[in-house]
Amino acid sequence: AQSVTQLGSHVSVSEGALVLLRCNYSSSVPPYLFWYVQYPNQGLQLLLKYTSAATLVKGINGFEAEFKKSETSFHLTKPSAHMSDAAEYFCAVSAPTASGTYKYIFGTGTRLKVLA
Amino acid sequence: ETGVTQTPRHLVMGMTNKKSLKCEQHLGHNAMYWYKQSAKKPLELMFVYSLEERVENNSVPSRFSPECPNSSHLFLHLHTLQPEDSALYLCASSQSSNYGYTFGSGTRLTVV
């Protein structure tokens, strides 16, 4: 069975600093991996996705994530944080089940705070 | 506008009321989902509809009743709710789990 773990429920960075949000997954088969962002009082918005093409995936708003099979990780990064990046970020994994359907699992979320 | 529209955005209801949440998508997606998001808890998948058939029901209490009349619309009928049901209810749609989900903005439900 697949699972996803986000390390750190809260992360604070200074404006202009590197953003690193950690996500590790567990899956018995090659998974599909996603990052979503949620702003206050809104739904989740897809930031980027890994679907077995390039291991470095670029998304919206300057974010990118690298799939590292050896580390079972899919960490989200952004070189320079902006105040508007303050939000909650969710990692998700989708992998096939024995019945052939896909099961989608969300992490517990990381709340990013950007300090002026 | 995300492509998935949820109404109402906010709802306050008493424990004896009956209300419905509505979700609409015109993205051509073939699967729709209801999620519950409570403070300090992981996202909880409630129901999954694929091609208008319910394919997953994650032990949700019967006071929540979903309805999917066509591939573009999804409802969540609520009756005799409890205060612990207060949460953000999110609707999502997808063409396939591999493509990611498109979420609506949610309905903030408060049960008093």
Side-chain angles (χ1 to χ4, degrees), chain A residues 36 38 41 43-44 102-103, chain B residues 9 37 56 98 101 103-104:
Chain A
Y36 288 83
Q38 185 179 29
N41 299 314
L44 281 69
Y102 275 78
K103 188 120 177 123
Chain B
R9 290 295 309 275
Q37 188 177 35
E56 192 161 341
N98 306 339
Y101 291 0
F103 282 84

Side-chain angles (χ1 to χ4, degrees), chain A residues 64-81:
Chain A
E64 61 182 36
E66 186 172 8
F67 172 68
K68 291 188 177 180
K69 185 179 179 180
S70 61
E71 298 177 9
T72 61
S73 69
F74 190 57
H75 301 330
L76 182 70
T77 60
K78 182 173 180 177
S80 176

Side-chain angles (χ1 to χ4, degrees), chain B residues 23-40:
Chain B
C23 177
E24 186 173 352
Q25 62 95 3
H26 294 289
L27 300 169
H29 290 170
N30 58 16
M32 296 185 78
Y33 313 82
W34 279 117
Y35 279 87
K36 177 183 179 183
Q37 188 177 35
S38 305
K40 300 182 181 179

Side-chain angles (χ1 to χ4, degrees), chain B residues 8-12 15 18-19 26-27 41-43 45 53 56 65-66 76 78-79 85 88 91 94 103 107 111:
Chain B
R9 290 295 309 275
H10 301 272
L11 178 62
V12 178
M15 288 190 283
K18 289 185 180 181
K19 296 286 184 184
H26 294 289
L27 300 169
K41 285 187 175 182
L43 274 166
L45 177 63
E53 286 192 30
E56 192 161 341
S65 174
L76 187 62
L78 317 170
H79 66 96
D85 297 322
L88 181 67
C91 174
S94 72
F103 282 84
T107 295
V111 181

Side-chain angles (χ1 to χ4, degrees), chain A residues 77-94:
Chain A
T77 60
K78 182 173 180 177
S80 176
H82 192 272
M83 298 298 288
S84 61
D85 295 326
E88 188 151 22
Y89 292 80
F90 293 89
C91 182
V93 61
S94 173

Side-chain angles (χ1 to χ4, degrees), chain A residues 8-20:
Chain A
S9 58
H10 291 80
V11 170
S12 293
V13 299
S14 298
E15 190 175 20
L18 171 72
V19 176
L20 171 61

Side-chain angles (χ1 to χ4, degrees), chain B residues 8-93:
Chain B
R9 290 295 309 275
H10 301 272
L11 178 62
V12 178
M13 60 186 288
M15 288 190 283
T16 58
N17 291 160
K18 289 185 180 181
K19 296 286 184 184
S20 296
L21 310 184
K22 180 182 177 182
C23 177
E24 186 173 352
Q25 62 95 3
H26 294 289
L27 300 169
H29 290 170
N30 58 16
M32 296 185 78
Y33 313 82
W34 279 117
Y35 279 87
K36 177 183 179 183
Q37 188 177 35
S38 305
K40 300 182 181 179
K41 285 187 175 182
L43 274 166
E44 299 175 46
L45 177 63
M46 300 176 73
F47 301 104
V48 179
Y49 277 82
S50 178
L51 298 172
E52 303 162 37
E53 286 192 30
R54 191 190 310 179
V55 296
E56 192 161 341
N57 175 349
N58 286 336
S59 303
V60 178
S62 60
R63 56 186 184 269
F64 295 92
S65 174
E67 179 189 2
C68 187
N70 55 59
S71 59
S72 299
H73 295 85
L74 184 66
F75 295 89
L76 187 62
H77 303 300
L78 317 170
H79 66 96
T80 59
L81 294 192
Q82 304 299 310
E84 61 264 28
D85 297 322
S86 298
L88 181 67
Y89 287 84
L90 292 166
C91 174
S93 70

